[in-house]
Amino acid sequence: MYYLSMFIHYTFQYMKTRMSYRGDLLVELFSDLLYQGVNLVFILVVFTHIPALNGWSREELIFIYGFFLIPYSIHSAFFDIWDFNERYIVKGEMDRILTRPIHSLFQVIIESMRLEPLLGVVTGLVIMYYSGSRLGVELAWYDPFLFVAMVLGGVLIYGGIFVGLASISFWTDSRTDIIPMIYNFSNYSRYPVDIYHPLIRFVLTFLLPFAFVGVYPAAYFLDKQEWLIFSMLTPVVGLICFFLSVLIWNRGVRRYRGAGN
């Protein structure tokens, strides 16, 4: 309850700050929508020349993209810690974080949160509804619960991978381009993994399991029985990824000796 109250307090403070600059807020919301729209247009343009992609129809790829947008947007809102190295290690703000009686990772997350990307959740739901209705997708009574579990699993996978990458900063204070590189690689999860080379498919499933963010859980609702096991494993993979990232983070914090060193 203490952590929940702190999160609510930070959220209200963030909203008051953002509402003070409404023009900037509207521009950022518009840019997020434009970015999502460009990716959707890209899929539509591809299918004007290709009737199917390795057996996947246009509506199925749109459905996968819509599902992908939901955990991706939540991740962008709460795990946007690209600047952790420069802000907290190089500039020494980690020293301030460690003086407070609350977990350091929680502080970094709430200080870095941006609620504007959550608009992508609405966009993703709209896209899924549109494509799902055209595909004739039918839901059982338990499917909404599975949907929430799979979305949370996708968020934990994204968060776990990038928290783990940010934790590297505790061992080296030099700037690195590994996070943008991995971020670009994560975009492969917007599309079915069976269209890629087996090596890329292996990496997306077992090493950097971004396939569990988009295509595998979406395949469950598209009734792709060959991927049912992977779909059901999405929450489990998410918990494992985030648990391991917290372990790495805690070990890095114990190693940290302050900005002066």
Side-chain angles (χ1 to χ4, degrees):
M1 293 301 298
Y2 174 68
Y3 278 82
L4 178 60
S5 65
M6 290 297 297
F7 174 77
I8 295 174
H9 175 74
Y10 265 85
T11 301
F12 276 110
Q13 294 301 317
Y14 176 84
M15 291 304 299
K16 287 193 292 185
T17 302
R18 297 299 289 155
M19 291 305 294
S20 299
Y21 302 92
R22 293 179 177 85
D24 180 65
L25 177 62
L26 291 175
V27 170
E28 188 164 352
L29 290 174
F30 175 77
S31 64
D32 286 341
L33 282 175
L34 184 62
Y35 173 75
Q36 296 158 14
V38 168
N39 288 307
L40 181 58
V41 168
F42 174 77
I43 296 175
L44 296 176
V45 169
V46 168
F47 275 90
T48 59
H49 303 282
I50 304 174
L53 189 61
N54 200 25
W56 294 84
S57 67
R58 182 184 69 173
E59 283 71 23
E60 287 176 330
L61 259 71
I62 293 175
F63 187 92
I64 294 172
Y65 176 66
F67 187 98
F68 164 84
L69 268 181
I70 298 173
Y72 170 78
S73 300
I74 299 174
H75 153 76
S76 299
F78 299 107
F79 292 97
D80 188 16
I81 54 176
W82 285 39
D83 62 343
F84 173 76
N85 182 291
E86 182 176 357
R87 177 179 176 183
Y88 290 95
I89 303 299
V90 176
K91 294 184 178 179
E93 290 197 30
M94 195 65 192
D95 294 357
R96 169 180 58 84
I97 292 292
L98 295 177
T99 61
R100 296 175 176 175
I102 192 170
H103 196 276
S104 56
L105 178 58
F106 180 80
Q107 293 183 67
V108 171
I109 289 174
I110 59 179
E111 287 187 358
S112 304
M113 72 177 179
R114 301 183 305 113
L115 298 183
E116 294 84 357
L118 290 179
L119 183 62
V121 174
V122 179
T123 306
L125 289 172
V126 171
I127 293 174
M128 288 181 65
Y129 176 78
Y130 165 78
S131 55
S133 61
R134 294 178 65 89
L135 290 167
V137 173
E138 297 182 358
L139 300 179
W141 65 268
Y142 50 82
D143 283 342
F145 300 100
L146 287 176
F147 172 77
V148 172
M150 291 177 180
V151 167
L152 292 178
V155 174
L156 292 177
I157 290 169
Y158 248 118
I161 291 174
F162 285 102
V163 167
L165 292 174
S167 301
I168 297 174
S169 301
F170 291 116
W171 281 270
T172 171
D173 59 359
S174 61
R175 293 180 176 85
T176 175
D177 293 332
I178 189 172
I179 291 183
M181 181 183 67
I182 299 299
Y183 172 80
N184 291 330
F185 186 76
S186 71
N187 291 327
Y188 284 88
S189 63
R190 300 176 182 179
Y191 308 103
V193 292
D194 56 356
I195 70 174
Y196 302 128
H197 188 276
L199 177 60
I200 296 178
R201 192 184 315 168
F202 176 82
V203 173
L204 287 172
T205 302
F206 299 105
L207 299 182
L208 296 171
F210 288 117
F212 290 93
V213 178
V215 58
Y216 285 152
Y220 166 78
F221 299 99
L222 295 174
D223 199 26
K224 301 290 184 179
Q225 294 297 321
E226 64 272 23
W227 287 349
L228 180 60
I229 295 178
F230 291 104
S231 302
M232 295 296 103
L233 285 176
T234 299
V236 178
V237 175
L239 289 173
I240 292 174
C241 281
F242 197 75
F243 176 75
L244 292 176
S245 71
V246 173
L247 290 181
I248 298 172
W249 177 278
N250 289 338
R251 185 170 181 177
V253 169
R254 288 195 296 270
R255 185 186 184 280
Y256 180 72
R257 293 293 181 267
N261 294 323

